[in-house]
Amino acid sequence: MEEIDFKRRISVARLRAQMSSAVENIVNHVRIFGKVLGEIVECGAYKAGTAMALTAASDWYWSESKKVFAFDTFCGYPNGDCEGLDPKQFSDVDFEEVKRATENLKNLVLVKGEFKETIPRFEPRPLSILFLDCDLYESYMVALKKFWPLLNKG
């Protein structure tokens, strides 16, 4: 008879509950702040799961769907620049797979590259939601410098 690993099952169940709660939180933010004029930006998209949830929620709640711009290297930390963090973390991304997974989301724009190169080139436009999950101080500063002034009040 197979031995059941209850600790692992409980851990997986907790992780699923946390992920479900996080997605629910994202959807609620789009529902509440989506009425504010402007697009949505996510910095630190990894495999674009949050960006997909943001896009789907925007499409669901608002007849005028917002563009969602998902910024990431889509290959892990830039140049291994991750002091104090695991350099291999987030490097398991297949960008072609991400593009295939998101190709039916017409309002989702994947922006591939290092933040210090891609974010300054972003054409200024009003923003309603800014979702930052960058991990690195420099990345946060680049994102905040560019996007904070573009956020509409709401």
Side-chain angles (χ1 to χ4, degrees):
M1 179 182 255
E2 166 184 357
E3 187 174 317
I4 299 172
D5 184 352
F6 288 107
K7 284 184 182 178
R8 184 174 185 286
R9 285 191 181 187
I10 291 170
S11 295
V12 169
R14 283 184 182 153
L15 179 61
R16 285 185 181 149
Q18 288 172 348
M19 289 172 62
S20 175
S21 176
V23 170
E24 183 179 326
N25 193 21
I26 290 164
V27 169
N28 281 330
H29 275 79
V30 171
R31 181 180 55 78
I32 294 166
F33 296 106
K35 63 186 170 197
V36 176
L37 176 69
E39 312 293 5
I40 299 171
V41 167
E42 177 190 14
C43 297
Y46 183 43
K47 294 183 180 181
T50 300
M52 288 187 269
L54 288 164
T55 305
S58 177
D59 290 349
W60 176 263
Y61 284 110
W62 306 106
S63 57
E64 276 294 315
S65 293
K66 300 169 178 292
K67 288 273 187 207
V68 175
F69 296 88
F71 289 82
D72 205 292
T73 62
F74 295 101
C75 64
Y77 293 115
N79 303 317
D81 180 21
C82 58
E83 186 176 328
L85 302 169
D86 179 358
K88 293 181 183 177
Q89 189 176 15
F90 307 118
S91 65
D92 62 336
V93 180
D94 178 345
F95 186 60
E96 293 305 313
E97 185 178 308
V98 173
K99 288 195 306 189
R100 282 191 301 277
T102 60
E103 67 187 356
N104 292 329
L105 297 169
K106 302 303 178 208
N107 289 318
L108 176 56
V109 179
L110 302 174
V111 185
K112 185 179 190 317
E114 292 186 33
F115 292 168
K116 65 184 177 184
E117 296 167 4
T118 57
I119 290 175
R121 293 194 312 250
F122 180 77
E123 184 179 322
R125 63 190 78 206
L127 300 179
S128 60
I129 297 174
L130 175 59
F131 186 85
L132 300 177
D133 188 12
C134 312
D135 295 328
L136 304 175
Y137 175 81
E138 180 185 352
S139 298
Y140 276 105
M141 294 311 296
V142 169
L144 287 169
K145 182 178 177 183
K146 177 70 176 195
F147 296 130
W148 190 259
L150 301 176
L151 276 170
N152 279 322
K153 294 182 183 194

